[in-house]
Amino acid sequence: MMQSEDHDYGGSDDDLGRRRELRAFLIHCRTRLEPTDLGLPRMPRRRVRGLRRGEVAELAGVSDYWYRAFESGRPVRVSPQFVARLASVLRLTPAQRIFLVRLSLPEIYRLVSGLEQ
């Protein structure tokens, strides 16, 4: 069973806040897309608006379990390639892509934005 979004998985307050922000952002991005927008078949009845986590996982090339852990804020490692695939699946704008990198790859974001000395 997956843990709730408020579960403390360890880390600093900044890290926990970043993971909560990432979760909210990903949910928002999923709910604004329809499966048919991405070539998935239309299902007669859906309990959720937008894409399901499993659909995002499949399109991004990761397991449903792993994507659920990532979206729920568990401290999982992600690659820049995964973040790029996810941004494409979610059809993010350039500004949204930067935001996704900032939230999911903070160490790389700091390096490329000149925030780390």
Side-chain angles (χ1 to χ4, degrees):
M1 181 173 191
M2 298 301 294
Q3 301 293 325
S4 75
E5 71 184 85
D6 292 327
H7 187 354
D8 182 351
Y9 294 110
S12 69
D13 288 342
D14 288 344
D15 190 47
L16 294 173
R18 178 188 56 78
R19 285 189 260 144
R20 283 186 184 112
E21 191 173 5
L22 176 62
R23 180 181 191 281
F25 178 68
L26 292 172
I27 290 170
H28 167 76
C29 292
R30 278 193 302 108
T31 60
R32 68 178 176 71
L33 292 171
E34 291 299 321
T36 54
D37 295 340
L38 300 169
L40 297 173
R42 176 179 286 272
M43 302 301 281
R45 298 192 72 197
R46 295 180 67 90
R47 294 184 346 186
V48 297
R49 198 173 108 212
L51 295 175
R52 295 180 178 132
R53 284 184 195 97
E55 292 165 336
V56 174
E58 181 180 338
L59 293 167
V62 296
S63 74
D64 183 41
Y65 178 82
W66 188 91
Y67 183 78
R68 284 177 183 275
F70 172 66
E71 186 181 284
S72 70
R74 287 188 152 171
V76 297
R77 287 206 167 278
V78 298
S79 69
Q81 295 82 7
F82 165 73
V83 173
R85 284 193 314 267
L86 183 59
S88 293
V89 167
L90 296 175
R91 297 190 173 180
L92 301 182
T93 67
Q96 290 170 324
R97 287 172 183 258
I98 292 169
F99 190 66
L100 178 62
V101 168
R102 182 176 73 76
L103 294 174
S104 58
L105 296 165
E107 61 286 347
I108 291 174
Y109 176 78
R110 285 190 299 272
L111 287 171
V112 298
S113 66
L115 297 174
E116 192 157 304
Q117 305 287 346

